[in-house]
Amino acid sequence: MNDTILQVNNLEVSFFTHVGEVRAVRDVTFSVEKGEILGIVGESGSGKSTVLLAIMSLLQHPGKIKAGEILFENEDLAKKSNREMQHIRGRKISMIFQDPMSSLNPVFTVGNQIAETIITHEHVSRSEANKRVLELLELVRIPSAKTRINSYPHEFSGGMRQRAMIALALACSPQMLLADEPTTALDVTIQAQMMDLLRDIRKETNTTIILVTHDLGVVSEMCDRVQVMYGGRLMEEAACRDIFDKPGHPYTKGLLRSIPNVKKGSRERLKPIDGSPPDLITPFDGCPFAFRCPHTMNLCMDSCSREWEIGEMHRCACHLCNPEVKALLDERGNE
Ligand SMILES: Nc1ncnc2c1ncn2[C@@H]1O[C@H](COP(=O)(O)OP(=O)(O)OP(=O)(O)O)[C@@H](O)[C@H]1O
Ligand SMILES: [Mg+2]
């Protein structure tokens, strides 16, 4: 039986800019099971990072959670104060970013930074913390960890820095790791090593991972489940294999079509589908993909579909998946 670690309900996040409200995340509901790797894909601007930042309470001004719940261990993170979140960040949920230098401080040795984090959060002695640092550097496969512990971040290569950042994120054994495109800045070989590392970490520590990526190759190799976002909404959600074998949403189908060779081992970035991304400022209740979808109906301009169950643990927010609409279209087709 699965065990839910995170349950996000009807999350709404907006950026209140001087030109208007940017509705970056709209009515997003999903859950994450303990120990799984959940992928979030979607083209640029679809709201992927905003979802992760909302979970961490790290949204920058003018971003705000407008509505919804973020339930972690039965507590709503959306209602926590900054102070309360400081106890959760790093200790229970950690986040790794594309740029390791955003987490690493250039003036301290890598070992020192990780040790400080452990001491601050866990109140252990320096020697205990140092022992743990060594274990962590070994966990993230930093060679000659015993000497590298005294290196400064600038003495590390890009890939090693990324490993150090992951070690820092894991310093206090969080239950959940949020990874926002952690490898896009790295070259392909190092990207692959980093993904292997994340997979090994999951295996060795049973850490739950949410992985945001543009890369469907990474998704197919890494993830147990995947969610497809577009225009701030969740379009489809399924077991990884089902997204590739039985995509339900025209947007997902478009994504897969735009990469003819999605197969294990291939690594390609998503190519945008024809048309422009949706305008998130002008109020629109329809499906954000309606302007680019080859199957748009009047219905799609009026409302965004609810999520329909189209298979086991497979949900799709498209009116075409509504059995009544399907029956009507079939009837018309037969006329
Ligand atoms: N600080 C901000 N002010 C105004 N709008 C913002 C801000 N940050 C994000 N947005 C908007 O919110 C929407 C979602 O952005 P987000 O960064 O979550 O997308 P993303 O899916 O992570 O994209 P990418 O793949 O490029 O990282 C976009 O339309 C973006 O322009
Ligand atoms: Mg992003």
Side-chain angles (χ1 to χ4, degrees):
M1 163 114 180
N2 285 338
D3 217 351
T4 301
I5 184 164
L6 180 80
Q7 174 72 48
V8 173
N9 291 324
N10 311 101
L11 182 66
E12 301 265 343
V13 182
S14 287
F15 292 92
F16 295 88
T17 70
H18 61 279
V19 288
E21 176 185 349
V22 179
R23 301 193 65 180
V25 173
R26 296 184 65 176
D27 199 17
V28 163
T29 293
F30 67 95
S31 63
V32 188
E33 304 302 320
K34 258 187 195 144
E36 80 169 335
I37 303 184
L38 171 71
I40 304 184
V41 289
E43 63 197 66
S44 194
S46 54
K48 307 178 299 294
S49 298
T50 306
V51 168
L52 295 195
L53 292 170
I55 295 170
M56 293 295 277
S57 285
L58 285 176
L59 286 166
Q60 299 290 321
H61 177 80
K64 258 207 179 92
I65 296 180
K66 266 177 62 180
E69 294 176 319
I70 301 171
L71 302 174
F72 178 77
E73 296 185 324
N74 297 320
E75 291 185 61
D76 189 356
L77 302 186
K79 292 205 173 69
K80 297 253 176 230
S81 67
N82 227 334
R83 217 188 143 83
E84 289 171 312
M85 278 312 290
Q86 275 167 9
H87 282 280
I88 290 171
R89 280 196 293 264
R91 278 177 65 211
K92 296 189 176 236
I93 312 176
S94 264
M95 185 156 171
I96 52 176
F97 300 90
Q98 192 173 329
D99 171 19
M101 289 314 276
S102 61
S103 316
L104 297 172
N105 189 331
V107 302
F108 296 109
T109 65
V110 168
N112 232 330
Q113 292 181 52
I114 303 175
E116 278 307 318
T117 305
I118 298 171
I119 292 166
T120 312
H121 283 303
E122 297 186 0
H123 311 291
V124 297
S125 69
R126 166 73 50 180
S127 69
E128 257 175 274
N130 284 344
K131 204 172 126 226
R132 173 108 181 101
V133 173
L134 206 58
E135 285 167 8
L136 282 161
L137 295 184
E138 279 162 6
L139 174 71
V140 300
R141 322 275 190 257
I142 289 188
S144 337
K146 269 201 179 108
T147 29
R148 300 315 299 258
I149 204 167
N150 296 317
S151 302
Y152 288 87
H154 71 265
E155 297 174 297
F156 275 20
S157 66
M160 284 300 147
R161 255 181 241 159
Q162 206 83 5
R163 287 168 194 269
M165 175 181 65
I166 296 173
L168 184 64
L170 295 174
C172 299
S173 316
Q175 283 127 288
M176 196 160 76
L177 189 62
L178 312 183
D180 193 358
E181 310 236 20
T183 61
T184 32
L186 302 168
D187 74 48
V188 176
T189 334
I190 304 192
Q191 276 185 28
Q193 290 171 5
M194 216 51 69
M195 287 301 150
D196 286 346
L197 174 63
L198 285 180
R199 226 177 2 211
D200 289 350
I201 286 169
R202 191 267 295 259
K203 211 156 74 197
E204 286 167 38
T205 62
N206 203 34
T207 310
T208 309
I209 300 177
I210 305 183
L211 176 67
V212 160
T213 177
H214 274 95
D215 190 328
L216 284 175
V218 165
V219 167
S220 76
E221 280 173 50
M222 294 275 300
C223 300
D224 303 307
R225 273 189 318 129
V226 55
Q227 289 179 176
V228 181
M229 284 191 75
Y230 185 79
R233 294 195 188 255
L234 211 57
M235 300 271 114
E236 186 162 5
E237 173 184 349
C240 191
R241 206 185 25 210
D242 291 340
I243 281 285
F244 289 97
D245 293 350
K246 301 179 239 171
H249 202 286
Y251 175 63
T252 314
K253 290 179 188 168
L255 278 184
L256 294 171
R257 256 199 309 272
S258 65
I259 303 175
N261 301 318
V262 174
K263 55 181 190 304
K264 285 203 181 285
S266 85
R267 285 215 149 71
E268 290 180 51
R269 285 178 75 83
L270 303 190
K271 292 190 198 81
I273 300 163
D274 284 347
S276 349
D279 166 8
L280 302 178
I281 293 189
T282 312
F284 178 64
D285 289 326
C287 172
F289 192 53
F291 300 99
R292 297 164 90 180
C293 180
H295 308 288
T296 305
M297 306 172 279
N298 290 341
L299 193 59
C300 309
M301 302 304 282
D302 297 339
S303 68
C304 193
S305 167
R306 54 165 270 204
E307 288 178 347
W308 298 96
E309 194 96 30
I310 61 167
E312 199 187 333
M313 310 280 284
H314 191 163
R315 297 187 298 160
C316 180
C318 174
H319 289 301
L320 288 175
C321 298
N322 176 347
E324 284 176 22
V325 172
K326 253 202 260 177
L328 219 70
L329 289 173
D330 285 347
E331 220 172 87
R332 276 198 213 155
N334 293 333
E335 270 169 18

